[in-house]
Amino acid sequence: MKLILGALLICQLAKASLSTQPPSGGAMPFNLPKDIDSMGRWRQARHFANLEQSVEDYNAAECVASAPDYATSLVRRWLIVLPLDERFDPPMGSFSHGHIQTGDKMSLPRNFWDAIQKNKAEVPWLFEVSRINGVTGAGERVEMPIDMTDPMLNKVVGGAVDFRSPPNYIFLPRWMMVALALKPLDVVEVKLVQNTPPGSAVKLRPHSTAFTKIGNHQAVLETELKHYSALTKGSTIPFDYNGKRYYFDVVELRSAPRGERVSIAKVQDCDIAAEFVRPKDQMKRKN
C-alpha cells in the first residue's frame, strides 16, 4: 500500500511528461506498458508501484547484497528517471541558482551522499548515468527534438545539485535526457565515478551564429562552462545569456596533461582551453 500511495504522488508528473509515442510492445519488469496513458489512475499507480518495486528489488540483490563491503554497496544503483525542474533550483545566492537546465547537476538519492563519504571521494563528485542494454526504454530510444540528431550516447557524466531525490529515483536536466534518448520513468544505471580524466581542451559547435556575434562571447563561454562539472563528447549542452538560450554540440575533448582525445572529461577545477568550430546554422546554409 505504501508503494501504491507513493506512486500516486508521481502519477500526475509522470502523465504530463510521458512520451506521446511510447515504445511498442508490452510491459517488462523495468518498463511500463505501452497503453499506460489510457489506463485509469489506480491502474497507472499500480504499474508505477510495480516498476518501483522491481528497481528496489534489483538494487537490494545486485547492488547491496552482492557488494564486498558497505562502502562499495553505496556507489551504484538502478534508478527511475524523472525530469528535473525549477523546484530543485538552489536558493538565491547559491552558485547553481538559475542553472537547473543549463548545467550538469542532477538530484540523487541519499545513498550517493553516503557513498561520497564512505569512499572518501574527492571533488568534483561525478556520477555516470548510463542506459541499460535491453532495459532502458525496453531497448528503444525516443525520438529526438526537431532539428536534432540522436548522438547515440549510452552514458553521460555530471554532478549533483542535491541528494534529496526519493530512493530509486533520479531527476535529470532535459539536455541529459535528450543526450541519452530517455523518457520519464525509464530506468538507468547510476554510479559514483572517480576515474574521469581532467580536461585540457574542448571544441564546441554553436547551433546559432548569433552567439558568436556577442561581443564578449568567449568570456560568456568560460563563465557558463563553470556550471558543468564534466563534458561528454556528442552531447548538446545549453547556455543562457541575456534571456536567450543557446545550444552547443561537444565536438571534441582532450585530456590533461598529454592532450589525448577522450569521450568524457571533467572540466571543474581544470585549466581547459575552449574554442568554437563553425556554427551549425552556417553548415546547413552551405549544404
Side-chain angles (χ1 to χ4, degrees):
M1 186 63 182
K2 181 179 179 181
L3 286 172
I4 291 283
L5 292 174
L8 279 173
L9 293 176
I10 67 167
C11 183
Q12 293 305 315
L13 174 60
K15 282 185 66 178
S17 305
L18 280 171
S19 169
T20 57
Q21 295 181 330
S24 59
M28 297 172 62
F30 298 101
N31 290 277
L32 296 172
K34 64 178 182 178
D35 58 345
I36 187 74
D37 275 338
S38 65
M39 295 180 182
R41 187 180 183 191
W42 281 102
R43 285 190 66 198
Q44 286 183 337
R46 188 175 70 248
H47 282 293
F48 296 152
N50 288 340
L51 172 62
E52 184 176 349
Q53 187 66 63
S54 296
V55 170
E56 185 170 317
D57 290 347
Y58 176 89
N59 288 332
E62 302 297 330
C63 300
V64 178
S66 63
D69 53 63
Y70 179 62
T72 305
S73 75
L74 299 167
V75 301
R76 182 177 74 92
R77 289 290 187 273
W78 281 17
L79 300 175
I80 302 167
V81 172
L82 287 173
L84 197 71
D85 61 28
E86 299 310 312
R87 288 172 291 183
F88 292 87
D89 197 9
M92 188 173 296
S94 300
F95 179 71
S96 294
H97 176 73
H99 288 271
I100 287 297
Q101 300 300 336
T102 53
D104 66 352
K105 307 302 185 287
M106 59 194 86
S107 180
L108 293 158
R110 170 76 190 198
N111 69 279
F112 285 102
W113 172 251
D114 296 337
I116 289 169
Q117 304 301 310
K118 295 298 182 181
N119 289 277
K120 297 180 171 58
E122 297 182 357
V123 293
W125 301 322
L126 298 177
F127 304 90
E128 179 184 284
V129 182
S130 305
R131 293 181 61 91
I132 304 165
N133 187 33
V135 171
T136 305
E140 298 188 13
R141 302 175 70 93
V142 300
E143 293 183 7
M144 290 292 101
I146 296 175
D147 206 32
M148 287 189 67
T149 302
D150 190 346
M152 301 304 293
L153 292 175
N154 287 316
K155 65 180 179 181
V156 297
V157 171
V161 66
D162 60 39
F163 298 92
R164 59 190 178 99
S165 174
N168 306 315
Y169 288 90
I170 182 173
F171 291 79
L172 296 177
R174 182 176 182 273
W175 74 264
M176 276 192 182
M177 296 184 66
V178 171
L180 294 175
L182 300 173
K183 66 182 184 304
L185 303 179
D186 276 346
V187 177
V188 295
E189 182 176 63
V190 182
K191 295 186 290 185
L192 171 68
V193 290
Q194 302 186 67
N195 59 351
T196 305
S200 64
V202 59
K203 289 184 179 179
L204 299 172
R205 186 184 305 283
H207 282 203
S208 172
T209 307
F211 184 81
T212 62
K213 294 181 179 179
I214 297 173
N216 59 341
H217 64 268
Q218 191 69 32
V220 172
L221 168 66
E222 293 173 0
T223 298
E224 293 303 314
L225 271 180
K226 293 178 181 178
H227 294 283
Y228 290 84
S229 303
L231 294 175
T232 303
K233 180 182 175 182
S235 61
T236 299
I237 59 173
F239 296 163
D240 282 346
Y241 181 70
N242 277 353
K244 184 173 181 180
R245 183 155 295 175
Y246 299 90
Y247 292 89
F248 303 81
D249 296 338
V250 181
V251 176
E252 183 180 287
L253 288 167
R254 291 184 180 268
S255 63
R258 299 174 60 182
E260 297 171 316
R261 286 188 174 92
V262 292
S263 59
I264 297 175
K266 59 183 176 183
V267 296
Q268 184 178 330
D269 301 328
C270 295
D271 185 12
I272 188 165
E275 64 175 288
F276 295 120
V277 297
R278 186 164 35 142
K280 191 173 181 179
D281 56 357
Q282 286 188 5
M283 296 175 65
K284 287 186 175 181
R285 285 200 296 268
K286 183 176 181 179
N287 293 335

